[in-house]
């Protein structure tokens, strides 16, 4: 009997290890987004990347591309007209490989592109958020999640729209935009020059972050850092600070008198005055983040440093 007990005792660690492995596998299979339907809103650079990248990795991508320039055709029609039979070609420049993606649906109608999508991504400028939300929210499934990237003030826009429409949908914000990319030929070829190693994410309601963050990480194919609220994303020192500082350096308070007779290289020709304004704005942004954390503890988390939720612009540029 003692020998039998001893043998069984030896196997306990192996049994426990097997149990943990089985449990991890079950959880992974249960939460995986592989092969699911993902909706992408817009027809710009980032939308092209998502069609190519997600499509080449087995996702069904529904493209909602309603924008129509005056006197022109919608982005959806441009996609339908230009898309090659083999799909949109995505050049992974750093990885030196190529992928192809064919949208499952291409439409200028949200009623056709949005239903059935578990995640709906909005990789569009902030000014486009409200109109896109007005279009898509009525057609979202009950368990869907809308993900904006970038997501400056996205929670404010989404809450307002959902109140107006009388419908609630889970939302998430990703910051910064993970892609460095450029369209080569519309709906035919896009270059992906690189991706951020990590992005931040916030959700509303906050309680779904534990489920949403790993799924968004799987879809995007990168690491995700979970934030306690949307404040760290809104206060990320990106375009609202960088563009404003640069423009103040170019034009300043006497902007009517400053004229240029050539195309300016916005970033490459950044001067000391622009840099000074950038850091003045960044200092104020850091103070706002610290004040918000002091007023509402846990809303922002650590500020500054190399690992803060709101980095200063120098550390942010190293991270981004």
């Amino acid at each position: 009997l003692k020998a039998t007990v001893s043998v069984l005792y030896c196997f306990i660690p192996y049994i426990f290890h097997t149990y943990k492995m089985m449990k991890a596998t079950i959880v992974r299979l249960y939460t995986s987004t592989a092969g699911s339907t993902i909706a992408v809103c817009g027809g710009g650079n980032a939308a092209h990347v998502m069609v190519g990248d997600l499509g080449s990795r087995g996702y069904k991508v529904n493209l909602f591309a309603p924008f129509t320039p005056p006197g022109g055709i919608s982005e959806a029609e441009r996609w339908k007209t230009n898309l090659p039979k083999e799909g949109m070609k995505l050049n992974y420049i750093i990885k030196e490989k190529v992928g192809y993606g064919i949208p499952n649906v291409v439409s200028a109608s949200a009623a056709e592109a949005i239903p059935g999508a578990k995640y709906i991504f909005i990789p569009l400028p902030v000014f486009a958020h409200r109109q896109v939300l007005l279009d898509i929210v009525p057609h979202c499934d009950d368990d869907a999640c809308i993900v904006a990237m970038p997501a400056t003030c996205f929670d404010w826009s989404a809450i307002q729209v959902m109140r107006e429409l009388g419908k609630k949908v889970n939302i998430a914000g990703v910051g910064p935009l993970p892609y460095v990319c450029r369209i080569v030929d519309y709906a035919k070829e896009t270059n992906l020059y690189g991706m951020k190693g990590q992005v931040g994410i916030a959700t509303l309601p906050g309680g779904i972050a534990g489920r949403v963050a790993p799924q968004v990480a799987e879809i995007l194919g990168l690491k995700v850092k979970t934030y306690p609220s949307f404040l760290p994303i809104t206060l990320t020192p990106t375009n609202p600070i960088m563009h404003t500082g640069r423009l103040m350096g170019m034009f300043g308070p006497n902007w009517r008198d400053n004229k240029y007779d050539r195309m300016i290289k916005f970033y490459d020709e950044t001067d000391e005055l622009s840099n000074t304004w950038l850091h003045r704005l960044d200092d104020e942004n850091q103070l706002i983040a610290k004040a918000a954390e002091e007023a509402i503890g846990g809303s922002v988390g650590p500020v500054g440093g190399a690992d803060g939720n709101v980095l200063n612009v120098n550390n942010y540029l190293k991270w981004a």
Side-chain angles (χ1 to χ4, degrees), residues 19-33:
Y19 166 75
K20 287 199 299 182
M21 292 293 290
M22 290 177 64
K23 182 179 179 181
T25 301
I26 291 171
V27 170
R28 185 167 62 252
L29 290 173
Y30 178 75
T31 60
S32 177
T33 61

Side-chain angles (χ1 to χ4, degrees), residues 96-115:
E96 298 184 342
K97 71 173 188 176
V98 173
Y100 292 87
I102 300 176
N104 180 53
V105 172
V106 177
S107 179
S109 168
E112 295 178 358
I114 301 303

Side-chain angles (χ1 to χ4, degrees), residues 201-203 206 209 225-232 293 297-302 309:
I201 189 170
T203 64
K225 179 180 182 180
T226 303
Y227 291 145
S229 75
F230 274 80
L231 276 173
E293 176 62 21
S299 62
V300 176
N309 287 347

Side-chain angles (χ1 to χ4, degrees), residues 71-89:
I73 62 173
S74 71
E75 289 178 326
E77 287 304 315
R78 290 183 68 189
W79 268 89
K80 292 177 182 178
T81 301
N82 295 349
L83 185 67
K85 291 182 179 180
E86 66 272 17
M88 202 282 301
K89 180 182 180 182

